[in-house]
Amino acid sequence: MEIRQCTDKDWPAIFGFYSATMKDGRSYAFPEGQGLEEARPWWMEQPPGQTVAAVAAGEIVGSAKMGPNRPGRGGHIATASFLVDPRHQDQGVGRALGEYVLGWARSEGYRGIQFNAVVETNLPAVHLWQSIGFQIIGTVPGAFDHPEHGLVGLHVMFQEL
Amino acid sequence: MEIRQCTDKDWPAIFGFYSATMKDGRSYAFPEGQGLEEARPWWMEQPPGQTVAAVAAGEIVGSAKMGPNRPGRGGHIATASFLVDPRHQDQGVGRALGEYVLGWARSEGYRGIQFNAVVETNLPAVHLWQSIGFQIIGTVPGAFDHPEHGLVGLHVMFQEL
């Protein structure tokens, strides 16, 4: 698997699993039902951030976006978001993207990485982030409207670098 | 003190203490050095959010902006931010704005209010929010670069409605 920076041309391929993930409704508090162009700025980051693609056998199987979590006096903490094509889950794509983001944030001089809203029932994601060094800082109760479980918590997760 | 919805005409007056607060650098991870028009969308909210002004003796002495904390499946939790003109501190302006926001969020049907980044050394703010029912959910260590204290934590605060 190769992880490389995205270009605008990659967006239609990523949008396929972006929109499937948002429609599924189990992992992101993002708008649902967005069109291709409407969704583009929600995923394709501008510098100093970036968006990358995970490529396997010539196909984009996942993507991550990353950048400063806040401007100004919070700009030394990074954040990131992750998508794995549902057809390529359980193949280590999320882990590879997570480790890429850790390396990117270290090389860019960030002092830590914060995930602002990890759905507490998304246990594969919670456990993956814990396995690469993230801790749960706190959980906002009932902050996510899950299609099966109703109102569930959103974890704030963090790792110092 | 009256609290009323803002119009575009109010922005130059608010911008005076917005820019002073950002320059002071003790309470917000916002961009510094913004001009009047650059800063406008950072404070003047669009529906379903809104921005209000606290007015005393015909003068705007504080402002709050409020709206959904996240889109989509997180849209039932509100968030808000607050500014008090430094020349009118310790006059109950922040408390009046905070209580206004609680009433607004209840009347709009929000299930809770989340503050994403309360600077832990900003004790007047932390104590004020606790006094009207907010709890500290967690603290992201070192996430704010304070001009005097260096890297200090940012509290996530929350109140169920």
Side-chain angles (χ1 to χ4, degrees):
Chain A
M1 192 181 330
E2 179 206 2
I3 294 177
R4 62 163 175 76
Q5 278 190 282
C6 283
T7 70
D8 281 348
K9 288 182 189 168
D10 296 321
W11 174 238
I14 297 169
F15 177 71
F17 53 85
Y18 171 97
S19 56
T21 302
M22 300 318 161
K23 190 176 176 190
D24 178 63
R26 283 163 173 76
S27 53
Y28 275 102
F30 266 47
E32 288 175 41
Q34 290 177 315
L36 181 76
E37 288 311 314
E38 190 185 0
R40 189 190 293 266
W42 285 79
W43 197 259
M44 299 296 275
E45 284 281 325
Q46 301 300 315
Q50 65 170 5
T51 300
V52 298
V55 180
E59 191 185 356
I60 297 180
V61 296
S63 178
K65 65 168 188 156
M66 60 209 82
N69 193 43
R70 300 186 180 284
R73 292 181 173 277
H76 57 290
I77 304 296
T79 191
S81 300
F82 300 85
L83 290 172
V84 177
D85 186 330
R87 296 167 300 178
H88 293 274
Q89 267 166 0
D90 305 319
Q91 295 170 11
V93 180
R95 178 175 297 271
L97 286 165
E99 288 171 350
Y100 176 95
V101 166
L102 285 174
W104 170 85
R106 281 198 185 90
S107 72
E108 296 287 316
Y110 287 96
R111 304 287 290 266
I113 306 184
Q114 181 175 346
F115 297 156
N116 297 292
V118 181
V119 178
E120 69 178 346
T121 51
N122 186 5
L123 293 177
V126 174
H127 294 156
L128 172 56
W129 304 142
Q130 287 174 324
S131 79
I132 63 170
F134 286 84
Q135 292 190 311
I136 296 170
I137 291 287
T139 306
V140 183
F144 186 79
D145 186 8
H146 192 283
E148 282 171 278
H149 305 302
L151 297 184
V152 300
L154 286 173
H155 294 315
V156 176
M157 300 188 76
F158 179 75
Q159 174 166 185
E160 194 177 338
L161 295 178
Chain B
M1 194 182 328
E2 177 204 4
I3 295 178
R4 61 162 174 80
Q5 278 190 283
C6 283
T7 70
D8 281 348
K9 288 183 189 168
D10 295 321
W11 174 237
I14 296 170
F15 177 72
F17 54 85
Y18 170 98
S19 56
T21 301
M22 300 318 161
K23 189 176 177 189
D24 178 64
R26 285 163 172 78
S27 52
Y28 275 101
F30 266 46
E32 287 175 42
Q34 291 177 315
L36 181 75
E37 288 311 315
E38 190 185 0
R40 188 190 294 265
W42 286 79
W43 197 259
M44 299 296 274
E45 285 281 326
Q46 301 300 315
Q50 65 169 4
T51 300
V52 299
V55 181
E59 191 185 356
I60 296 180
V61 296
S63 179
K65 66 169 185 156
M66 62 210 80
N69 192 44
R70 301 187 181 283
R73 293 180 173 278
H76 56 290
I77 303 296
T79 190
S81 301
F82 301 85
L83 290 171
V84 176
D85 187 329
R87 297 168 298 180
H88 293 275
Q89 267 165 1
D90 306 318
Q91 294 170 15
V93 180
R95 177 175 297 271
L97 287 166
E99 288 171 349
Y100 176 94
V101 165
L102 285 175
W104 170 84
R106 280 198 187 92
S107 71
E108 295 288 315
Y110 287 96
R111 304 285 291 264
I113 306 183
Q114 180 174 346
F115 297 156
N116 296 291
V118 181
V119 178
E120 68 179 347
T121 52
N122 187 5
L123 293 178
V126 174
H127 294 156
L128 173 55
W129 304 144
Q130 287 174 324
S131 79
I132 62 170
F134 286 85
Q135 291 189 312
I136 296 170
I137 292 287
T139 306
V140 183
F144 186 80
D145 186 9
H146 192 283
E148 282 171 278
H149 305 302
L151 297 185
V152 300
L154 287 173
H155 294 314
V156 177
M157 300 187 76
F158 179 75
Q159 174 167 186
E160 194 177 339
L161 295 179

